[in-house]
Amino acid sequence: MAPLPDGFSYAEWNATYNALSFGIAAMGSATIFFWLQLPNVTKNYRTALTITGIVTLIATYHYVRIFNSWSEAFTVASKDGGDYTVKLTGAPFNDGYRYVDWLLTVPLLLIELILVMKLPQAETVSLSWKLGLASALMVALGYPGEIQEDLSVRWFWWCLSMIPFCYVVFTLAVGLAEATSKQPSPAAASLASAARYLTVLSWCTYPFVYMVKSVGLAGPAATMYEQVGYSLADVLAKAVFGVLIWAIAAEKSAVEESGKLPTVHTYG
């Protein structure tokens, strides 16, 4: 893990501090909401909603750790009523928590989407394994480049991680299109489609944030853009995506309870 660069302005430090704080609040409140909603959906969709809450709970924990690590890496003080100055304490900033978080949560994100779509059992198991393993491989391949300052090494690992990334995105955008069209109501189909495309959209921000240090930005500004960018992308990919998963589960539960669709127990 490379040491933090020196020379952070108060604005750069504060932007990262607030972005991490926002991540804690968003993930934590989302976790409470999802689990409180469990009794309001039918049994078929409680597993998906439970996993949704687990994802945001894991993210909350890691955001607390990242936030604490960021705070401990700096001292912020104002001397004689002047502007705040930011200095490194020498303590390491452990951004590796992000990759531990992604290794756990990214496969679960895809599995919760598959479960809430209520596909046939064989297809559910097959897709969960394929997408789960591909997404974990994507995260694992990205980490060696993230901790490198050598741009050629960063680009090498970025290209490798994009191989499973493209497979997952293609499956979400194209491979699940037919399953989306078979949802029990137009509203459920629309929500499932929105969840798929939100995943694609939010995921596409990660490679661009990853490239921040490879396109001429360096020092404190690059670190700030990276931390803020990852935090916003995480909130979209986990908390906002989770709200769509809940909405799908609620809509399909309402359809089943109305008698328009027979309730058949599946993995979801």
Side-chain angles (χ1 to χ4, degrees), residues 117-165:
M117 292 185 75
K118 200 178 176 186
L119 303 172
Q121 179 177 325
E123 189 176 357
T124 295
V125 173
S126 175
L127 276 174
S128 294
W129 275 107
K130 289 177 182 177
L131 294 182
L133 290 175
S135 61
L137 180 62
M138 173 191 72
V139 174
L141 289 173
Y143 183 67
E146 186 72 74
I147 60 176
Q148 295 291 329
E149 294 298 320
D150 187 320
L151 296 186
S152 62
V153 177
R154 287 181 67 86
W155 279 112
F156 171 77
W157 288 106
W158 182 88
C159 290
L160 284 183
S161 67
M162 287 300 290
I163 296 172
F165 172 88

Side-chain angles (χ1 to χ4, degrees), residues 6 9 16 59 61 89 94 99 106 110 112 117 123 133 175-177 180-181 191 194-195 199 215 226 229 232 237 249:
D6 203 358
S9 68
T16 301
Y61 167 77
T89 62
N94 188 357
Y99 277 81
V106 170
L110 297 173
E112 71 188 59
M117 292 185 75
E123 189 176 357
L133 290 175
L176 290 177
T180 301
S181 66
L191 288 166
T199 304
V215 293
E226 185 178 62
L232 294 177

Side-chain angles (χ1 to χ4, degrees), residues 54-99:
I54 290 173
V55 165
T56 50
L57 178 64
I58 293 171
T60 302
Y61 167 77
H62 284 109
Y63 265 87
V64 170
R65 298 301 300 269
I66 297 169
F67 178 85
N68 289 341
S69 183
W70 181 260
S71 299
E72 292 166 2
F74 298 90
T75 57
V76 181
S78 174
K79 186 176 181 180
D80 300 326
D83 293 337
Y84 286 104
T85 59
V86 180
K87 294 182 180 179
L88 296 174
T89 62
F93 171 55
N94 188 357
D95 195 30
Y97 290 124
R98 284 200 185 277
Y99 277 81

Side-chain angles (χ1 to χ4, degrees), residues 40-41 134 176 211 228 236 247 267:
N40 298 328
V41 300
L176 290 177
M211 291 190 295
V228 172
L236 280 176
Y267 274 106

